[in-house]
Amino acid sequence: MSDAHSHEHGHGHGAHAHAPHRHVTAANLRPPLSLLAMSAGQRVVLTLLPLASLWLLVWWALRELA
């Protein structure tokens, strides 16, 4: 028996071979940018930023037409 492959278990772990095992939970399955994981303030900001951008675009377009 060769010592070169004594650490193998018959299944590959890829780049995570030395990472600790993480149990699959609801928190692990959530995407990094999740509305459920955000605070109320972050949700308000995430809602207002696109609306403010659209408002500025409309305001700029109306000024260009005038």
Side-chain angles (χ1 to χ4, degrees):
M1 180 180 280
S2 173
D3 288 333
H5 295 94
S6 62
H7 64 278
E8 294 294 326
H9 299 286
H11 56 276
H13 290 283
H16 302 288
H18 298 291
H21 179 71
R22 288 177 51 194
H23 293 282
V24 176
T25 64
N28 290 343
L29 291 175
R30 248 188 269 151
L33 185 63
S34 170
L35 290 176
L36 297 174
M38 290 183 182
S39 69
Q42 289 172 322
R43 280 179 275 196
V44 168
V45 169
L46 191 68
T47 304
L48 290 180
L49 279 177
L51 290 175
S53 299
L54 285 173
W55 178 249
L56 284 172
L57 184 65
V58 169
W59 176 77
W60 172 81
L62 289 174
R63 281 177 49 98
E64 289 293 317
L65 288 175

